[in-house]
Amino acid sequence: MRLILDLARGMLSRRRRQTLVSVLGVALGVAFFIAIASLMRGFQTYFVQQVIDVQPHIVIKDETRRPLRQAAELAAPDGAVAINGVKPRDRVRGIRAAGDKLAILEAIPGVAAAAILTGPALLRYGARDVTITVTGIEPARYRRVSNLEKDIIQGSLEDLRSAANGLIIGDTLAARLGVQLGDTVIAVSPRGVSLQMKIVGLFHTGLVSLDQSAGYALLKVNQVLQDRPNVVNQILLRLSDVTQAEPLARQLEDRFGDRSESWEEQNRNILTVFVIQNAIMYSVTGAILLVAAFGIYNIISTVVFEKTRDIAILKSLGFTERDIQLLFLLQGMIAGFIGALLGCVIGQLMIEGLAQVRFRTETPAGNDRFLLARDWRIFAVASFFAVVSAGLAAVIPARRAARLDPVQIVRGAA
């Protein structure tokens, strides 16, 4: 094996210019793969972290995913029965036995739960009216399922208790209304209930949909505003392991019957876009590596053509077809390995260069620079693809070299 390795290295070193071009092709493919993957992964990770940070991991709603099974379906479960146009039953909206369900949920290890009531309201300040969604919360429970408290830039959650009919709104919404901390607004619900509410806090999450259209009040206050006493319409869950959100949501929906949505289901469209982005990235960088692999194929094929007499001599000395095939396969693997190492270095330099770029204006995500992921797995995947593509490029000429007949070669040379 050591002899075969030395021979492979010697054959490559005699064609330094062509070998260098092929190695640089592989290196550039690996470097671009690392840089693009770092950009994509950095943005995707940041977005998912923001979603997980702002939204609850599971939301249990006061509705069902599908209508209850009708009598005809129950009577003939295996029959050809189709029922359409089933009208929802009239019932008081709200989660039934919310207290009992909260106790069950809080008994699950690694789960924190809080019941809330959400509803629309019209905020009026002077001559300006803005429609928002008011969420009624219990501060002690809500801070366990949400990171809203860390996004509050003025006031605090506890100020909801210190003021009568306190209200916390987004800073963008406050700018639209023209209100400041301590001002009083009038809130009107669709039920016709009107309350004077005092602005006791402002928050900034970085998500425009929340900052300009969301407000938080005490649960009891919002129940009065929405004219729904002792009613909650959502239970929010936060998990210590976010990857368990989807399976747990399915279990809870089967157990309680209420519609349960995980953060993955709520953001499925955006997560699908990430899959498409990754497919495009792998296609583009894979094409670069494919071009580099053709360069390696060209080198190995040329070496096989030029070294036919050497192959005949090696076979006459006792080298088997497997040894000859391994000899030329190693040449491709060596070129791919060196290209992968060089590509990792160039890729790291490209990442550091992108990290120094600054934008003149702050981005909507709250950053003035590229979001980069420095993950060793990106380097490992890029290197693996480079070495494998180089090895595959060397397979065909290696097999051709192994099948050469030394007798025909010597006769042709004579």
Side-chain angles (χ1 to χ4, degrees):
M1 184 65 184
R2 179 64 179 275
L3 177 59
I4 294 177
L5 184 61
D6 290 338
L7 289 172
R9 190 168 52 198
M11 288 182 179
L12 285 176
S13 63
R14 291 189 183 92
R15 306 185 62 85
R16 294 179 182 176
R17 183 175 298 177
Q18 289 183 335
T19 302
L20 180 61
V21 171
S22 298
V23 168
L24 286 178
V26 175
L28 289 177
V30 171
F32 279 112
F33 182 100
I34 292 171
I36 296 175
S38 179
L39 281 170
M40 294 286 191
R41 184 74 62 83
F43 169 73
Q44 294 173 9
T45 302
Y46 177 81
F47 178 84
V48 171
Q49 287 177 347
Q50 287 293 100
V51 169
I52 293 174
D53 195 44
V54 175
Q55 298 181 357
H57 300 160
I58 298 177
V59 178
I60 301 176
K61 301 182 178 180
D62 61 336
E63 58 185 74
T64 56
R65 191 174 292 271
R66 58 185 66 87
L68 297 175
R69 299 188 67 187
Q70 303 300 301
E73 294 176 300
L74 296 174
D78 299 326
V81 178
I83 300 177
N84 298 313
V86 178
K87 295 183 178 180
R89 294 172 55 187
D90 292 333
R91 67 183 184 93
V92 178
R93 293 294 299 272
I95 296 178
R96 299 181 180 180
D100 296 337
K101 292 177 180 177
L102 270 176
I104 294 173
L105 294 171
E106 290 181 334
I108 302 175
V111 175
I116 64 171
L117 173 66
T118 63
L122 180 71
L123 285 191
R124 178 171 298 161
Y125 185 72
R128 183 162 297 177
D129 297 335
V130 176
T131 302
I132 71 167
T133 300
V134 180
T135 302
I137 64 173
E138 296 176 351
R141 286 181 177 271
Y142 193 74
R143 63 166 48 98
R144 297 171 55 196
V145 300
S146 171
N147 289 327
L148 174 66
E149 194 167 28
K150 77 176 184 60
D151 294 324
I152 295 179
I153 55 179
Q154 294 185 42
S156 66
L157 281 179
E158 293 303 324
D159 291 338
L160 291 175
R161 298 186 183 278
S162 62
N165 300 339
L167 180 66
I168 298 176
I169 61 175
D171 57 348
T172 307
L173 175 59
R176 291 177 62 192
L177 281 172
V179 299
Q180 297 177 349
L181 199 68
D183 290 341
T184 300
V185 298
I186 297 176
V188 183
S189 71
R191 296 291 186 94
V193 179
S194 177
L195 290 179
Q196 286 191 343
M197 307 190 75
K198 182 179 180 180
I199 306 299
V200 297
L202 300 176
F203 65 84
H204 176 79
T205 63
L207 297 178
V208 179
S209 59
L210 289 177
D211 292 339
Q212 70 178 5
S213 62
Y216 296 87
L218 287 178
L219 179 60
K220 293 296 183 182
V221 173
N222 200 33
Q223 287 172 342
V224 173
L225 178 64
Q226 304 294 333
D227 193 21
R228 303 177 70 180
N230 302 319
V231 173
V232 297
N233 57 4
Q234 291 184 12
I235 297 179
L236 310 182
L237 275 68
R238 194 169 188 85
L239 283 62
S240 57
D241 184 5
V242 296
T243 61
Q244 298 300 315
E246 182 64 25
L248 180 59
R250 301 284 70 78
Q251 295 175 14
L252 295 177
E253 186 167 323
D254 293 339
R255 181 172 183 178
F256 296 148
D258 300 310
R259 185 184 181 98
S260 301
E261 296 180 353
S262 66
W263 68 271
E264 296 166 300
E265 181 180 354
Q266 292 173 339
N267 299 278
R268 185 163 293 165
N269 291 339
I270 299 176
L271 296 178
T272 302
V273 172
F274 289 166
V275 174
I276 297 174
Q277 281 184 343
N278 290 334
I280 295 173
M281 177 193 69
Y282 285 117
S283 300
V284 173
T285 53
I288 298 174
L289 290 175
L290 183 62
V291 172
F294 273 111
I296 294 175
Y297 171 82
N298 182 48
I299 288 179
I300 306 303
S301 297
T302 304
V303 171
V304 170
F305 179 76
E306 293 179 350
K307 301 294 182 181
T308 52
R309 292 189 61 189
D310 295 342
I311 294 171
I313 294 172
L314 291 174
K315 282 193 171 184
S316 65
L317 293 175
F319 279 70
T320 63
E321 289 190 0
R322 179 178 175 277
D323 295 332
I324 300 299
Q325 187 171 348
L326 181 61
L327 171 63
F328 290 94
L329 186 61
L330 277 176
Q331 295 182 46
M333 299 288 285
I334 291 172
F337 183 74
I338 296 175
L341 290 180
L342 184 58
C344 288
V345 175
I346 298 175
Q348 182 63 35
L349 293 176
M350 293 177 67
I351 290 176
E352 297 302 328
L354 291 172
Q356 304 305 315
V357 176
R358 296 291 183 272
F359 305 112
R360 293 186 177 181
T361 58
E362 189 174 291
T363 62
N367 289 274
D368 61 346
R369 66 194 69 185
F370 286 115
L371 301 170
L372 300 167
R374 292 175 171 84
D375 191 347
W376 64 269
R377 287 172 292 188
I378 296 176
F379 292 81
V381 170
S383 301
F384 175 77
F385 282 164
V387 175
V388 170
S389 61
L392 292 176
V395 166
I396 295 177
R399 294 183 62 183
R400 186 186 306 150
R403 289 198 297 265
L404 290 177
D405 187 358
V407 175
Q408 296 298 329
I409 295 172
V410 173
R411 284 180 178 176

